[in-house]
Amino acid sequence: MSEEILKDLIQLFAIVAKQDNSIFERDREFVRVFLTKQVQAHRVQAYVKLFDEKVGEDQKKEKPNRLTSVKDSVRILKICKKINKTLDHQQKVITLLRLLEMIQFSGLQNQQQNAIAQTVADVFNIDKQEYKNLQTLVFANRAENMEDDQFLLISVEDQSNLVSGQMALDGFQDSLLFLQIPSAKLFFFKHCGSSEMFMNGLPIDGFSVNI
């Protein structure tokens, strides 16, 4: 991912973080972890500083619990249209997923944040059902009403009444939820549970989405 696009994403993350009018510590931690997977370790702090600066812009001028400002709405559209010209469809889907994860990680999903995510999905031309499925995957902490046939649940319990596709696995303590995004030829999965799991020798973060 180019430095220019990464800076645009940081600005987008900052606008989302501003909407909850809080201290932003959880948002900041999410951005830090995101950056560790995108740039070399010695460059992470510079991007975190950029995030802090963007979050702080106009913060004192904004009233709590207000709708996204016109100024921020214009910024969102501008950033999304710019990114849209550069990223391929797979990258757009992953970017939208990470944006949803940031909202989930903050612990506060509100109207303003949802509206921003919807705008990103619209500009990126993400299929409506696929966007809905991404939301379901990110915000679910257990299998619930996942009727679309793009979901697959691996669990020891029978939950076929909640998920269209299920595979029983004896001795498996938790659940693995998989989602296919056909338009991007991507599979995502999420570990729902507290037991320790590994992929390629590395621990899987509980309740985070993996590709």
Side-chain angles (χ1 to χ4, degrees):
M1 187 176 293
S2 70
E3 181 177 359
E4 185 177 7
I5 292 300
L6 192 53
K7 287 181 177 179
D8 288 334
L9 288 177
I10 294 300
Q11 290 187 61
L12 192 58
F13 287 156
I15 294 173
V16 172
K18 287 169 61 177
Q19 307 309 310
D20 60 20
N21 200 51
S22 64
I23 304 302
F24 313 116
E25 284 303 318
R26 289 181 64 84
D27 299 311
R28 193 174 189 269
E29 176 62 16
F30 175 88
V31 170
R32 188 193 65 78
V33 173
F34 169 79
L35 288 168
T36 60
K37 301 176 183 179
Q38 303 295 326
V39 300
Q40 295 178 336
H42 70 275
R43 298 177 60 200
V44 169
Q45 188 55 40
Y47 284 104
V48 172
K49 183 179 179 181
L50 175 64
F51 173 77
D52 291 341
E53 291 172 352
K54 294 300 179 182
V55 168
E57 287 181 358
D58 303 325
Q59 182 180 351
K60 294 182 180 180
K61 300 178 183 179
E62 295 182 1
K63 298 178 181 180
N65 300 320
R66 60 171 294 177
L67 295 177
T68 306
S69 68
V70 173
K71 184 178 180 180
D72 279 343
S73 296
V74 172
R75 286 176 180 171
I76 294 164
L77 283 174
K78 183 178 179 179
I79 293 170
C80 289
K81 288 180 179 180
K82 181 179 178 181
I83 295 174
N84 192 50
K85 296 178 180 179
T86 305
L87 301 182
D88 61 30
H89 185 63
Q90 280 193 347
Q91 292 172 317
K92 292 172 189 175
V93 171
I94 294 171
T95 297
L96 178 60
L97 172 78
R98 299 310 179 201
L99 187 66
L100 291 170
E101 278 196 302
M102 181 183 179
I103 295 172
Q104 189 275 337
F105 189 81
S106 71
L108 180 62
Q109 181 186 10
N110 60 35
Q111 179 184 354
Q112 298 97 303
Q113 292 172 329
N114 289 337
I116 292 172
Q118 182 65 63
T119 297
V120 175
D122 290 342
V123 175
F124 285 179
N125 197 28
I126 304 297
D127 177 81
K128 290 182 179 181
Q129 185 60 50
E130 290 185 345
Y131 173 53
K132 180 180 179 181
N133 288 348
L134 286 171
Q135 286 180 302
T136 301
L137 179 68
V138 169
F139 293 106
N141 54 19
R142 59 187 177 85
E144 50 186 8
N145 300 322
M146 299 176 185
E147 298 177 352
D148 193 275
D149 60 7
Q150 303 303 327
F151 283 105
L152 171 65
L153 176 69
I154 297 180
S155 174
V156 68
E157 299 179 359
D158 181 9
Q159 301 185 63
S160 56
N161 61 316
L162 298 176
V163 183
S164 59
Q166 183 182 10
M167 181 184 299
L169 188 63
D170 292 337
F172 190 65
Q173 297 180 358
D174 297 323
S175 299
L176 280 175
L177 183 61
F178 291 83
L179 170 64
Q180 176 179 273
I181 301 295
S183 69
K185 297 181 180 179
L186 287 172
F187 282 91
F188 299 105
F189 75 92
K190 184 176 184 178
H191 171 216
C192 300
S194 57
S195 63
E196 195 172 34
M197 294 190 68
F198 295 85
M199 181 175 66
N200 299 326
L202 298 175
I204 298 175
D205 294 334
F207 297 102
S208 64
V209 177
N210 301 272
I211 303 173

